Amino acid sequence: MSRRLKQTYAGGVRRLGTTLVRRGWISPTPPPRDRRWAHWAHSLVRVHDSLAIAELDVPWWTYRAVEAVDAWLAARPHPVRVFEYGSGASTLWLAKRVDQVHSVEHDGAFAGAMAPAFAAAGNIDFHVVEPEAMTDPVVPSAKGGHRGLDFARYVAAIDGLDGEFDLIVIDGRAREACLRRAVARLALDGLIVFDNTARRRYRAAIAAAPVTERRLAGLTPTLPYPEQTSLLTLT
């Protein structure tokens, strides 16, 4: 689906959701997450709106991954440190469950919209590292519309922090390079959450990494089609 088509679709369903709530046809309050199909149906009108997704108390991963990570975090001894490539609803969801979230974002405009909510959480260390334009990028992104942009500083943002991380989320740009950085900074018994892993370029990156993968495909909040999120552990 093209970027313009996604924007058109998202805008349309969000307007539909506003109308349905105003007329009392759907509740403004989502059903509990354990009612997965009802929660998913309710979420469809909040697509591509991270603050609205955060109100559903879910990150933008598959429901199976959300449940698995929630259980893993609940059993993890505190303090729990997280590093996240790509901010959004997941940042706020994680902040409710761990002691510290370090999140790096490449999109300055999106960062500006999310920053007040992150600041209010009190335990989010938010970094905005925009890509640099150059003819021959050192760390490129295969994402459409990102030709000629270098994400080297974005990927290296984790290097500015000391210590290991219990959980590292890879859901931003240049994910292949992010994975290579992440395996060196993960606690030996830690967990990597890598989203959208059905994509061919991510399959290759995971196959080349020293990790064991658990693929969790299926329903994803706000999306009318199935997706796949993988949980990776060091081998």
Side-chain angles (χ1 to χ4, degrees):
M1 185 183 292
S2 70
R3 181 184 181 89
R4 180 172 295 180
L5 186 56
K6 285 182 179 179
Q7 290 173 338
T8 301
Y9 168 77
V13 296
R14 287 201 294 264
R15 287 191 294 273
L16 174 62
T18 299
T19 299
L20 293 176
V21 169
R22 185 184 304 121
R23 295 184 178 181
W25 293 346
I26 64 172
S27 170
T29 305
R33 197 179 68 210
D34 58 6
R35 293 175 55 199
R36 183 173 298 180
W37 282 95
H39 190 280
W40 172 76
H42 185 97
S43 80
L44 290 174
V45 296
R46 304 192 185 203
V47 66
H48 292 293
D49 185 338
S50 289
L51 290 173
I53 296 171
E55 292 174 357
L56 301 172
D57 196 30
V58 286
W60 208 8
W61 314 327
T62 64
Y63 279 100
R64 293 176 64 202
V66 174
E67 297 294 343
V69 175
D70 207 2
W72 188 87
L73 288 173
R76 187 76 173 176
H78 287 256
V80 178
R81 297 180 76 218
V82 174
F83 188 89
E84 180 187 45
Y85 287 107
S87 62
S90 58
T91 315
L92 295 168
W93 184 84
L94 287 164
K96 295 179 181 179
R97 292 161 172 83
V98 305
D99 299 276
Q100 186 73 50
V101 180
H102 299 273
S103 186
V104 60
E105 174 59 44
H106 79 283
D107 186 328
F110 178 75
M114 299 300 297
F118 291 168
N123 61 342
I124 298 172
D125 183 18
F126 190 38
H127 310 264
V128 182
V129 183
E130 295 184 288
E132 299 176 276
M134 61 177 61
T135 304
D136 188 17
V138 177
V139 180
S141 172
K143 178 77 172 178
H146 288 69
R147 183 184 297 275
L149 296 177
D150 179 54
F151 287 84
R153 290 177 56 251
Y154 169 87
V155 172
I158 195 171
D159 296 339
L161 301 166
D162 294 329
E164 297 177 330
F165 293 94
D166 301 277
L167 178 71
I168 298 177
V169 179
I170 301 175
D171 197 12
R173 297 294 176 263
R175 296 185 201 182
E176 303 93 325
C178 292
L179 177 59
R180 291 191 292 271
R181 230 25 168 260
V183 296
R185 299 299 305 277
L186 187 69
L188 289 177
D189 59 347
L191 186 67
I192 295 173
V193 180
F194 197 134
D195 202 21
N196 310 118
T197 54
R199 298 173 187 175
R200 184 177 301 176
R201 64 183 184 272
Y202 299 155
R203 301 271 6 109
I206 291 170
V211 296
T212 298
E213 180 186 18
R214 179 185 177 192
R215 304 182 198 179
L216 297 172
L219 283 177
T220 298
T222 80
L223 296 182
Y225 51 83
E227 254 294 353
Q228 180 172 283
T229 305
S230 291
L231 306 185
L232 312 177
T233 53
L234 297 176
T235 53

